[in-house]
Amino acid sequence: MSGGLIFHDGGGAVARCTRCGAEAAGPCARCGAPVCGDCCVLTEGGARVWAICLACEDRGGRSLRRGWATVLGWIALPIAALALVVGLLAWLQSN
Ligand SMILES: [Zn+2]
Ligand SMILES: [Zn+2]
C-alpha cells in the first residue's frame, strides 16, 4: 500500500498521501507530493498559510540550521585564527 493514484470509473484520480496512504488533502507546497491532513504541517509563508509535508519540514528545518552554522563558522573561524595570531605575536614580543 505505497502511495500512487487510485483510478475510479469516471477517470478521475484520488491522490494518496505519500506517507501513510490515506486520501490526500492536498499537495505539499514545497515538493508537490500529495499529503493527508495528518502528515502535513501548516506554515506561514508571508501573507498566506502553506501546507508542507513533514519530510519537507524536517529538511527545511535542518537545512536552515546547517546554513546558520555555516555562516557562523565562516565568521568565527577567521576571528579565531586572527585571535591566535595576535596572541602568538603578543607572546613572542613578551619574550
Ligand atoms: Zn498521511
Ligand atoms: Zn513536501
Side-chain angles (χ1 to χ4, degrees):
M1 285 294 281
S2 63
L5 300 174
I6 309 297
F7 291 96
H8 292 279
D9 294 336
V14 173
R16 294 281 160 181
C17 173
T18 55
R19 295 177 66 87
C20 71
E23 192 171 322
C28 165
R30 205 173 288 177
C31 70
V35 284
C36 73
D38 291 336
C39 297
C40 70
V41 291
L42 297 178
T43 177
E44 290 180 21
R48 60 162 291 185
V49 176
W50 301 93
I52 61 170
C53 67
L54 295 178
C56 280
E57 194 213 10
D58 285 350
R59 274 198 297 272
R62 269 203 291 273
S63 71
L64 196 65
R65 276 194 288 276
R66 195 160 53 230
W68 274 110
T70 305
V71 170
L72 285 176
W74 277 107
I75 295 171
L77 278 178
I79 291 174
L82 203 65
L84 202 68
V85 170
V86 169
L88 198 65
L89 286 175
W91 178 75
L92 286 174
Q93 281 172 355
S94 69
N95 281 343

